[in-house]
Amino acid sequence: MAQRCVCLLALAATLLLVFPTVSRSMGLKSKEHQRASRIPSQFSKEERVAMKEALKVFPTVVSTSFIQHEVVEEYSHLFTIQGSDPSLQPYLLMAHFDVVPAPEEGWEVPPFSALERDGVIYGRGTLDDKNSVMALLQALELLLIRKYIPQRSFFISLGHDEESSGTGAQKISALLQSRGVQLAFIVDKGGFILDDFIPNFKKPIALIAVSEKGSMNLMLQVNMTSGHSSAPPKETSIGILAAAISRLEQTPMPIIFGSGTVVTVLRQVANEMNVIPPVAQATVNFRIHPEQTVQEVVELTKNIVADNRVQFHVLSAFDPLPISPYDDKALGYQLLRQTVQSVFPEVNITVPVTSVGNTDSRFFTNLTTGIYRFYPIYIQPEDFKRIHGVNEKISVQAYETQVKFIFELIQNADTDQEPVSHLHKL
Ligand SMILES: *[C@@H]1O[C@H](CO)[C@@H](O)[C@H](O)[C@H]1NC(C)=O
Ligand SMILES: *[C@@H]1O[C@H](CO)[C@@H](O)[C@H](O)[C@H]1NC(C)=O
Ligand SMILES: *[C@@H]1O[C@H](CO)[C@@H](O)[C@H](O)[C@H]1NC(C)=O
Ligand SMILES: [Zn+2]
């Protein structure tokens, strides 16, 4: 979830002042670096054990005859697990193993060390989303070791660039489409279990995201070199732009706009400027509610700004995801509910929600109407800041529970029954 994180960035904005730029070529100087001294190839006992163990990670997954492993788009992985009953429609479990950058500053341990302290593993990706990649393969490995043979076929898709463009997932989606696959449902990361979420209600609740907000990066630009000679000299490009952003922020539309940051950034920069730039730009990131479209938000924004000196350029955009079914007959949703009930007996409320961020699953709408985003993990408010922030971590116990959840979910999916309404306890 790069700028597409579930938990971050309700509204992010950047400001860019455009000056006539001289492009200076930095010309990579490719000097050969000579090593001062060679590092001897001697390894400690622990390192040799680690080497041997690494060779044996998930050996059953990759050597089982009814599992096909394919590398897609060079780095993404697709596993096809052939079930024994071809009459059951297959499903897809997905995760991604790329992460956002993690500068060392502020971390209690080096961000890529995966150091364990007091039963907690720290490191970039421990919650987003290497935990899911490993838990999926681990759960499958543990099932296979126990001689499990699925009845219902399923796929595991592991994307390599979810945080940026999602090309891996797009290719996997295209590949499955080219093979004529239709999926019963998809489970990706997204919702989670929250404790103490509703005031005066002490029971934890499970949030299953059945839709995702859309997203748009809209660039607002004011160009005062382009024939606005009639503008009073006091009006600068940055002043006009600041006023436009301010109007957006003051609009009482919490569905579209977050609060705060844009105008602050603009003013700070404006105060520090001693040259007045002819062109000012601000890029505003919008999250688009499932009941609106990109086009509607653009029109709305133009109407609110109501200043024809401000130009609008959509840099990138996509519409919100359709809402997946969550009624008694929705197989994926009910399987998740059932598995929540067995793995987290203390959670007796499951709620469908809309995810603020986006995942690779958005490329799979041609394959199914049932896309669900759920982490079987308790998330505390401070964890939201850790995802894409410093000191991202997961407890060993939470990870084990995630493995257990997938282990149960895969077996629960072997049902040949329609979901039954007694699951529906609310
Ligand atoms: C601003 O407008 C001038 C005059 O129309 C044009 O030459 C220039 O390229 C524009 N700058 C940008 C950044 O669009
Ligand atoms: C979905 O299918 C349509 C029709 O075949 C195709 O044009 C489109 O590119 C597909 N979209 C995705 C995201 O795969
Ligand atoms: C959830 O649990 C509480 C306390 O155990 C109970 O009072 C409540 O009826 C339960 N709700 C549902 C929907 O099962
Ligand atoms: Zn992310």
Side-chain angles (χ1 to χ4, degrees), residues 66 81-86 149-154 414:
F66 56 82
I81 299 97
Q82 196 65 53
S84 59
D85 184 347
I149 298 173
Q151 290 164 43
R152 188 186 293 273
S153 297
F154 63 102
D414 278 336

Side-chain angles (χ1 to χ4, degrees), residues 292-369:
Q292 282 176 313
T293 63
V294 167
Q295 203 44 50
E296 283 167 3
V297 174
V298 172
E299 290 309 316
L300 206 59
T301 306
K302 284 184 181 170
N303 289 339
I304 293 165
V305 167
D307 184 339
N308 60 15
R309 294 170 300 185
V310 180
Q311 303 157 14
F312 297 84
H313 304 280
V314 177
L315 302 179
S316 61
F318 56 89
D319 282 322
L321 275 282
I323 297 172
S324 300
Y326 52 91
D327 57 74
D328 287 354
K329 292 236 150 64
L331 179 64
Y333 190 82
Q334 293 305 337
L335 286 174
L336 285 171
R337 261 185 86 112
Q338 181 192 350
T339 312
V340 166
Q341 285 182 355
S342 66
V343 178
F344 303 93
E346 73 282 11
V347 179
N348 63 3
I349 296 185
T350 303
V351 185
V353 296
T354 296
S355 167
V356 177
N358 302 106
T359 67
D360 270 348
S361 63
R362 70 194 160 105
F363 302 117
F364 288 76
T365 48
N366 275 358
L367 288 143
T368 182
T369 55

Side-chain angles (χ1 to χ4, degrees), residues 1-2 5 96 100 128 162-163 189 387-388:
M1 317 186 247
C5 187
H96 70 91
V100 293
D128 174 20
E162 193 262 7
E163 301 288 2
K189 62 151 183 209
I387 297 176
H388 289 207

Side-chain angles (χ1 to χ4, degrees), residues 203 348-349 425-426:
K203 284 272 170 178
N348 63 3
I349 296 185
K425 282 198 181 144
L426 266 183

